[in-house]
Amino acid sequence: MSAPREHFSSKLGFILAAAGSAVGIGNIVGFPVNAAKNGGGAFLLMYAIFVFAICLPVMMAEMAIGRKTAKNPVGAYGALAGENSRWRLAGLVSILTPFMIAVFYTVLTIWILIYLVMTLTGNLDYLASTEGFSSIINDPLYLFGAMAGVGGLVAFILKAGVKDGIERAAKVMMPGLFVMLILLVIFVLTLDNAMAGLKFYIIPDIDKITPSVISGALAQAFFSLSLGMGILITYGSYISRETNIPNSAKLVAITDTAVAFIAGLMILPAIFSFNPEVNPDDLSSSSVSMIFVFLPKIFLALQLTVGYFLASAIAAVFFLLVFFAAITSLVSIMEVPVAYLIDEKKQTRKKALSNMFIWGGILAALSTLSFGLVSFLTELTTYGGATKSLFDVIYDMFYDTILPLNGLLICLFVSYRWKKHNLNAELSEGNPGFANTLMAKYVDISLGTFIPVVLVVILVNTVAKIYFGYSMFG
Ligand code: PHE
């Protein structure tokens, strides 16, 4: 006999945990930089449209599937489509995806922790120097030390389970994150010249919106809301039947977008007013690591105004904030394969965790070595006209390609297999008036039609561009 399924203790606990998953490096670092490069306010507007018109219905569908079945993604697809259905394959992909995304996300979290420690020990200037980043990310001592720290913390949280681990971590870290973010924004906005950056951020530059920017915005929105990874199916399996799914999903989407927007209010003025020689085009989207090179420079530039000590203190607060955000996200990704092993393979939580951490640890270690330390991993393969490292391959495949694919599968599954009236019935539990809302009508119409079409077009464009170096829309 297995133990009864654990649940979040309250609706707020669930919302905080889901928001904790959604708010991460993607919001605080990825979004502001993307917005800066891709037309400021115009990107913001497009992103917001994607979040509410495309992602929100997918998010509700994931939560509903999870609660209906009270299972991990493989079990959930099996329960709704039949144990021998091919849809179980879609469930398996939703286990593999978070596992692989966890691998590359772990690498980023490791860097953030190293940055935090370096900043706290007075080494912000070294971090911002030309050799700083590359020597740090290629120093095995730092890498493996930080990896042990990140892995240990995530394992500690997950071992305590859904309520005492995931929910409690989110309840501590999320409010902390908000307070730090708001303080930082207030600080940055009161400095001289901040308004120049603010204008750049808010005022739309429509010319910059190209098809590749549009697909970038969609991938960013999917990733940022933690969709297509089975996370919200898994978290949905831990909520009560009284939980109001449509409202929870809206709150999570609003929180996530608000944090991304507010992070932009801090980063953009910092980049453009304190460091006018930074060219936004240098913040290349093709390389995540470039962003990490710029971050310490932004903070170091503050020393002209506030001195080295305060600049370091601000940087430390920022890295701590990102670290919190990253940990609650990592926890949510790792919980998916863990829930799968517990449900389907009947492993104990402890056993499932150690299995995941061994395999995830090996892959994450290999990825951290693919930034120069081991040349075979650094130059693993070539496609789309570029040499790719192991990290790049995982990123291209899972972040850019499989994430929207999983979203597409969810839409098709709900619309044509599980059927929308079942979705509607599930969404109405905990929200009895839902069926008569505009949202219900929108979900009903769009989930099987317009949303999958948009996803297919963007997916095809992404595949052509990444793997074949071919740009479909010029
Ligand atoms: N949504 C998180 C972010 O924006 C990232 C994340 C990815 C979280 C995958 C969970 C799973 O950074």
Side-chain angles (χ1 to χ4, degrees):
M1 263 309 288
S2 52
R5 196 170 194 78
E6 260 202 277
H7 280 85
F8 289 113
S9 71
S10 65
K11 292 170 195 166
L12 181 68
F14 163 61
I15 292 170
L16 279 177
S21 170
V23 172
I25 301 176
N27 299 62
I28 303 174
V29 180
F31 179 84
V33 173
N34 266 323
K37 280 185 359 189
N38 297 324
F43 182 84
L44 201 71
L45 183 69
M46 206 169 50
Y47 179 83
I49 293 174
F50 278 148
V51 165
F52 292 98
I54 301 220
C55 295
L56 190 57
V58 178
M59 183 187 265
M60 288 186 203
E62 285 202 24
M63 289 178 177
I65 292 174
R67 184 176 66 183
K68 174 76 190 168
T69 58
K71 284 189 157 68
N72 67 89
V74 177
Y77 273 105
L80 295 177
E83 289 307 319
N84 297 321
S85 160
R86 270 191 232 131
W87 280 107
R88 268 177 78 93
L89 205 65
L92 272 178
V93 182
S94 322
I95 302 291
L96 185 67
T97 310
F99 181 72
M100 297 306 287
I101 288 193
V103 168
F104 95 73
Y105 209 70
T106 303
V107 175
L108 303 184
T109 312
I110 287 172
W111 293 350
I112 293 287
L113 180 57
I114 297 177
Y115 273 35
L116 175 62
V117 173
M118 291 293 281
T119 311
L120 285 174
T121 49
N123 290 312
L124 181 63
D125 49 354
Y126 178 63
L127 269 185
S129 66
T130 323
E131 75 282 1
F133 176 73
S134 59
S135 70
I136 284 167
I137 64 160
N138 285 317
D139 183 325
L141 190 70
Y142 283 126
L143 285 180
F144 290 105
M147 190 166 160
V150 169
L153 186 56
V154 173
F156 175 76
I157 294 172
L158 283 179
K159 193 160 167 290
V162 175
K163 196 164 62 211
D164 296 331
I166 299 176
E167 184 176 329
R168 193 184 290 169
K171 279 186 170 159
V172 174
M173 290 181 168
M174 291 303 286
L177 181 155
F178 275 120
V179 173
M180 286 189 273
L181 186 61
I182 299 294
L183 289 179
L184 281 176
V185 171
I186 294 175
F187 176 79
V188 168
L189 289 181
T190 53
L191 288 166
D192 291 348
N193 287 333
M195 288 310 136
L198 196 60
K199 262 201 205 132
F200 181 90
Y201 182 38
I202 310 274
I203 296 179
D205 177 359
I206 305 286
D207 291 348
K208 289 242 174 88
I209 302 291
T210 61
S212 80
V213 170
I214 294 178
S215 44
L218 186 78
Q220 167 83 24
F222 253 79
F223 179 76
S224 188
L225 292 175
S226 300
L227 295 178
M229 291 174 260
I231 292 173
L232 297 171
I233 298 183
T234 309
Y235 276 15
S237 76
Y238 302 137
I239 57 180
S240 70
R241 305 213 61 80
E242 289 81 53
T243 306
N244 184 333
I245 293 182
N247 281 359
S248 308
K250 262 184 242 162
L251 274 173
V252 172
I254 290 171
T255 309
D256 188 70
T257 309
V259 171
F261 176 73
I262 297 172
L265 287 182
M266 171 206 150
I267 299 251
L268 281 254
I271 295 183
F272 294 99
S273 39
F274 304 126
N275 228 352
E277 74 274 17
V278 173
N279 176 356
D281 293 334
D282 292 344
L283 299 164
S284 156
S285 65
S286 55
S287 120
V288 186
S289 49
M290 277 299 283
I291 299 168
F292 279 80
V293 175
F294 272 96
L295 281 178
K297 290 197 207 296
I298 296 170
F299 290 108
L300 190 64
L302 286 180
Q303 71 175 338
L304 294 177
T305 330
V306 297
Y308 186 67
F309 181 79
L310 206 53
S312 301
I314 294 161
V317 173
F318 177 79
F319 292 129
L320 184 65
L321 158 96
V322 183
F323 185 64
F324 274 13
I327 290 292
T328 49
S329 296
L330 258 187
V331 160
S332 74
I333 327 182
M334 290 305 282
E335 178 65 12
V336 181
V338 167
Y340 164 73
L341 291 178
I342 295 176
D343 291 350
E344 307 297 312
K345 304 287 171 202
K346 307 293 172 228
Q347 296 185 359
T348 59
R349 180 165 275 275
K350 206 165 145 206
K351 176 97 193 297
L353 272 171
S354 44
N355 279 330
M356 277 303 105
F357 276 83
I358 290 170
W359 290 109
I362 292 174
L363 275 171
L366 291 176
S367 309
T368 55
L369 299 176
S370 75
F371 286 87
L373 267 184
V374 176
S375 57
F376 163 68
L377 298 170
T378 308
E379 287 152 27
L380 190 67
T381 178
T382 305
Y383 54 77
T387 303
K388 302 280 183 167
S389 67
L390 176 65
F391 179 92
D392 296 330
V393 173
I394 295 178
Y395 183 85
D396 286 348
M397 266 184 78
F398 287 89
Y399 172 91
D400 269 325
T401 318
I402 298 190
L403 229 51
L405 178 71
N406 283 342
L408 176 65
L409 290 176
I410 293 273
C411 295
L412 298 178
F413 177 73
V414 169
S415 305
Y416 302 108
R417 178 73 204 219
W418 187 35
K419 303 287 189 230
K420 267 180 292 190
H421 62 92
N422 288 317
L423 172 69
N424 249 316
E426 188 60 34
L427 292 176
S428 298
E429 286 216 28
N431 184 346
F434 178 70
N436 298 321
T437 59
L438 210 61
M439 191 57 173
K441 296 197 175 75
Y442 176 70
V443 172
D444 198 51
I445 295 170
S446 62
L447 206 64
T449 53
F450 142 79
I451 297 180
V453 170
V454 173
L455 291 177
V456 168
V457 172
I458 290 184
L459 193 63
V460 172
N461 179 44
T462 307
V463 169
K465 192 152 155 262
I466 294 185
Y467 303 98
F468 303 100
Y470 174 73
S471 192
M472 283 172 40
F473 301 102

